[in-house]
Amino acid sequence: MGHVASTAGTETPPSLMENARTEQLLDRRQQLTDGLASLPYDLVLYLERALIHADLAYPDLAAGDAYRALLLTDEVANEEFEYHEQAVEALRMHIGQPISEALAFGDLSNEWIPDMSGDSVHGTEALQDLARLASVRAYQMLALNLLLCGCLQSAATFCERGLAVSPENKDLLGTKAHIDLVARRKLKRDTYEVSDLPDYGLVRREVYPWNTHEQDRYSKEALRALNKDLQSMAPKCAVQVATLPVLLEGASETDGYDIIPTCKQLGVFAQDDIEPGEVVLREYSLMTANNRLKDPVCDACSGDLPSLGGTTEPVGCEECPDTVFCSQFCHDQAQKSYHPAVCDKDVDAIAKDPEASEADETLYLLLLSRALALAAHQEAHPLDVREVRFIWGDFVPTSSNEIDLSPKAGPPPTWTLPFSFKYNIETPLHVLEKMDIDIFATPQYDLWVLNTLYAKFRGTASARKSLLDGRPDVAAVHPYWCLANHDCDPNVTWDWGGRMVLKARETRIVDGRAGGIKRGEEILNHYCDIDLPVQQRREWARGSLGGWCMCQRCRTEAAAEEKAKASNGVSSNGV
């Protein structure tokens, strides 16, 4: 009798099934993205892609698509809006077709759905009703996905707006109840105003699976290009591959270990001895921002403007006199690289003179706006712009951001990219509109692109505080300065005043030993206030770099603190 293989116990493992489902979702996402490239005003396609983003555990991207769909429902409803005709034409294509899964969902089955047969379906009433249905679905998606991102205030706002359109909608009422539950837990009280709710959350910080713009930073071609530019800025240095400690999510017992996990990154290394006090790097960058409306700083480099009557005079733009540059050089660089994209476009007042609590966020937004202007004027993809293309955003592998839905799964992953509806979705779209950019027909400005830029900026931007009130009011990204890796015992110090200047330290922080840098040693920069205690330095690193700093100084100081607590009978959790 011949041998027959048994099929018992050969079911597909859950992990393989989940991987196959993820691949199917990614394929469907690409199909919808291709569809939007040819039908950019089709609000139903945006809703369908929002569903896919939600299923892939990207609630921020789902909210971004839902918001664009919501904007298009407004375009359908108002004949005076810019894209009214395009939005109506795209929506009309869905009349006479089976109702989309994105619309026939949950409690929406009880909403009025246009009759898909008969002569009346091509009328204005049917289109408006379908747009209304889509708006309720967009409100559902926005409220739920912003809640999942931690943006409670925006989630509650869209929930209320949706209920104003559909008061008995069970999905919106359920989301509202969940928002209230989370709000009472976070605020530790039962009564509150919507304005009391937190509106900042965390989302995935990664190179998205469909991102084809991230450079192979370790290739010979990339290193050759980087070092060619670096020579004029830091003639005694070269960019090489460096080995760095892996940033951790939080407290760990590894501080006292001799061997810890490491990863590969780019770094800057001395090719010759550098004396204490000697200039290591001098870099000029146009990736700058200031959040003061009438601050006397150069629009290009954010350096101080020369005083009137001095040896040099400020130079204004002929088309928008309120834009002033510190020199003819900066004026010419701006006109060549970015300024025509925003010239006389009424963008000057956006995110200026913010509340103290939003000073940091406005600077990141304004850096994003500068990147968008550079890309628009140069007709380049924002991630391919010279100032950002080689910057690493402290991304983590996509797999470590995925949520395991199996019954035996552990806690969900901790996402690390700060996110808000206002600064990641709403205001960037407002900036693009002010720049006369079609926010629907330009896929290079999708939310995932903006999130990627934000990740790069948060880990690399330097900031300057106002002497008047101590608020951060000027920021910049210097792509070669930030290639020098962070360490809380740096061997360089830096100063930024129109040009970023790195100098070899005269003495080191730890032990006060002599400064200077030997040939072959890595240039160790610092991105935070290194006079802060170790706990505060690590909390800064978690917010900016995505994890706790694991440099030797931090590990040594943290281990010493733990040892002192243990000797006094105090555990690491304070008990």
Side-chain angles (χ1 to χ4, degrees), residues 274-279 491 503-507 514-517:
I274 301 174
E275 298 298 319
E278 184 179 350
V279 171
N491 54 19
K503 290 184 178 181
R505 294 185 68 90
E506 299 282 354
T507 56
I517 305 166

Side-chain angles (χ1 to χ4, degrees), residues 236-288:
K236 286 190 174 183
C237 296
V239 178
Q240 299 175 9
V241 178
T243 301
L244 301 180
V246 174
L247 302 177
L248 299 184
E249 291 186 0
S252 168
E253 296 180 355
T254 62
D255 282 329
Y257 291 7
D258 292 330
I259 300 175
I260 59 173
T262 60
C263 63
K264 183 173 65 172
Q265 277 296 345
L266 295 183
V268 180
F269 291 79
Q271 300 298 291
D272 294 294
D273 290 349
I274 301 174
E275 298 298 319
E278 184 179 350
V279 171
V280 177
L281 173 143
R282 192 185 304 273
E283 181 180 5
Y284 176 82
S285 177
L286 291 169
M287 188 65 71
T288 68

Side-chain angles (χ1 to χ4, degrees), residues 43-55 59 62-71 73 91 99-113 128-146 148 155 158-159 161-167 169-173 175:
L43 62 88
V44 176
L45 290 183
Y46 276 113
L47 291 175
E48 290 178 347
R49 195 173 69 168
L51 279 178
I52 298 299
H53 279 145
D55 287 344
D65 279 345
Y67 185 63
R68 294 196 192 215
L70 185 63
L71 294 178
T73 66
L91 188 59
I99 194 73
S100 168
E101 179 186 356
L103 295 175
F105 180 84
D107 199 45
L108 285 181
S109 59
N110 298 324
E111 300 283 344
W112 188 88
I113 297 179
Q128 295 295 344
D129 283 329
L130 189 56
R132 171 183 171 273
L133 184 68
S135 71
V136 175
R137 185 69 182 113
Y139 284 128
Q140 286 182 345
M141 291 182 176
L142 278 162
L144 178 58
N145 284 287
L146 289 172
L148 294 175
F158 282 112
C159 203
R161 288 174 61 183
L163 288 169
V165 179
S166 179
N169 189 278
K170 293 180 181 179
D171 289 282
L172 285 169
L173 290 171
T175 301

Side-chain angles (χ1 to χ4, degrees), residues 331-370:
H331 170 277
D332 294 347
Q333 290 296 312
Q335 297 293 349
K336 174 184 175 182
S337 301
Y338 75 87
H339 185 65
V342 293
C343 185
D344 203 25
K345 296 289 178 64
D346 193 28
V347 299
D348 293 342
I350 296 176
K352 296 298 179 73
D353 294 337
E355 297 291 332
S357 60
E358 297 192 350
D360 287 348
E361 299 306 317
T362 57
L363 285 175
Y364 286 125
L365 172 69
L366 292 168
L367 286 173
L368 177 71
S369 300
R370 177 59 58 84

